[in-house]
């Protein structure tokens, strides 16, 4: 993008005008909204909301203890994202090559019982382990649990005029932190155990985030042992090489000397407790942290965004103007 001061001045003015109009307000509903309320107050203006008392009637709300999960599927093999530092799908510096990569996690197969042992602290490991398999994981690896929730969020489905594209099961602890990213989905995110803190930024603040193209690499074990407790990992560049657009800024601890445009951002921080649901609009940037004993559990429903909306091509315009380094990218989906 041209560094012409006039263009940068106009982008900052655009960001600040949106901030002045909307502030950092998040709609909070004590009970689920009607579909009309949800459409008018949240979907159309593309603004997040917290919905309380939305799913306390789900059997999972009380059933999903570790004992219950072991009884239902303790011997089942599940996919666990494993990293040495807790950052999967994140920009990571590799001291071996003196280079930054978009780092993918090692996907390890283990029994759910073993994973729960790690969450409980009964199996010691220096690594971070996170159940974060996407693309409708509730209907694949966790299908035995699907009757414990209501997959159809009626007020959301009615407002959007569609059913969820995917429903996903998430479980992890405070070792795992999701880096700042966005998804092309309307996201209804329900916390069933523990709590999750979301750091949110609207699509209008894309200019602040210094997104760049990074070579992609994946964490791979340096030994052939299946013992993840003592294994070490290295970053291995993908073959064939691939570049991925990603955001390097940590919104809670930004390096303003390296990423000066973040000074114009106004992150919104919201904590979602057990029994609460976050509506996260399409293309909103978010970082996710989690806290809770013996594993934090969440379910989210992804509804495909309406690509007819001007938001999608407008965001594409911003990205094309600002992103440099080529176009051989892979756009990842995350939490």
């Amino acid at each position: 993008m041209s560094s012409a001061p006039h263009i940068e001045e106009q982008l900052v003015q655009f960001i600040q005008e949106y901030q002045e109009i909307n502030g950092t307000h998040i709609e909070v509903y004590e009970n689920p909204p009607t579909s009309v309320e949800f459409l008018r107050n949240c979907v159309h203006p593309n603004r997040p909301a917290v919905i309380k008392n939305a799913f306390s009637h789900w059997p999972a709300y009380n059933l999903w203890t570790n004992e219950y999960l072991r009884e239902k599927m303790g011997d089942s093999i599940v996919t666990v994202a494993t990293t040495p530092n807790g950052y999967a799908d994140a920009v990571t510096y590799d001291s071996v090559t003196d280079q930054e990569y978009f780092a993918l996690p090692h996907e390890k197969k283990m029994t759910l019982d073993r994973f729960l042992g790690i969450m409980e602290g009964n199996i010691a490991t220096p690594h971070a382990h996170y159940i974060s398999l996407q693309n409708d994981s509730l209907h694949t690896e966790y299908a035995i649990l699907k009757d414990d929730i209501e997959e159809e969020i009626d007020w959301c489905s009615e407002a959007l005029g569609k059913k969820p594209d995917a429903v996903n099961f998430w479980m992890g602890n405070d070792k795992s932190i999701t880096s700042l990213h966005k998804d092309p989905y309307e996201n209804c995110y329900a916390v069933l155990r523990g709590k999750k803190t979301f750091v949110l930024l609207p699509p209008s603040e894309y200019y602040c985030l210094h997104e760049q193209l990074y070579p992609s690499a994946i964490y791979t074990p340096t030994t052939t042992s299946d013992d993840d407790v003592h294994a070490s990992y290295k970053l291995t560049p993908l073959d064939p090489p691939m570049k991925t657009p990603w955001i390097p800024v940590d919104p809670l601890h930004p390096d303003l000397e390296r990423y000066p445009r973040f000074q114009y951002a106004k992150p919104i921080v919201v904590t979602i407790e057990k029994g609460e649901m976050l509506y996260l609009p399409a293309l909103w940037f978010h970082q996710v942290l989690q806290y809770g004993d013996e594993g934090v559990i969440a379910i989210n429903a992804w509804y495909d965004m309406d690509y007819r909306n001007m938001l999608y091509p407008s965001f594409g315009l911003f990205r094309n103007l600002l992103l440099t380094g080529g176009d051989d990218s892979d756009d990842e989906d995350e939490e």
Side-chain angles (χ1 to χ4, degrees), residues 56-220:
S56 57
H57 60 287
W58 290 0
Y61 184 79
N62 294 311
L63 281 178
W64 281 6
T65 63
N66 285 1
E67 292 73 22
Y68 177 82
L69 295 176
R70 280 192 170 96
E71 178 185 337
K72 295 288 285 188
M73 54 179 300
D75 293 333
S76 300
I77 301 298
V78 298
T79 304
V80 179
T82 304
T83 62
N85 57 11
Y87 286 87
D89 294 343
V91 175
T92 303
Y93 171 73
D94 180 31
S95 60
V96 175
T97 59
D98 190 27
Q99 186 171 356
E100 287 184 317
Y101 292 96
F102 172 72
L104 295 159
H106 173 64
E107 290 194 340
K108 187 171 183 62
K109 299 291 186 179
M110 66 177 71
T111 64
L112 183 63
D113 177 69
R114 181 170 178 79
F115 174 79
L116 292 174
I118 293 172
M119 293 295 101
E120 294 162 343
N122 297 326
I123 301 176
T125 172
H127 308 309
H129 296 78
Y130 193 21
I131 289 177
S132 57
L133 186 66
Q134 300 158 47
N135 301 322
D136 209 27
S137 64
L138 187 70
H139 293 105
T140 53
E141 292 193 355
Y142 302 92
I144 197 170
L145 301 176
K146 67 181 181 62
D147 292 337
D148 292 343
I149 72 162
E150 290 180 3
E151 302 172 48
E152 192 71 13
I153 304 167
D154 52 3
W155 44 270
C156 184
S157 295
E158 185 175 350
L160 297 174
K162 62 184 74 173
K163 296 181 181 297
D165 277 24
V167 181
N168 302 305
F169 178 94
W170 308 82
M171 187 171 184
N173 59 21
D174 57 3
K175 284 186 177 181
S176 296
I177 300 173
T178 304
S179 68
L180 198 61
H181 68 283
K182 55 98 180 79
D183 302 309
Y185 297 105
E186 310 288 356
N187 189 349
C188 288
Y189 200 96
V191 176
L192 286 106
R193 267 175 50 182
K195 60 184 178 180
K196 297 216 175 194
T197 293
F198 288 76
V199 185
L200 307 176
L201 297 104
S204 57
E205 296 184 13
Y206 174 73
Y207 173 73
C208 307
L209 305 183
H210 292 266
E211 185 181 50
Q212 301 171 46
L213 282 168
Y214 294 91
S216 299
I218 189 168
Y219 282 109
T220 55

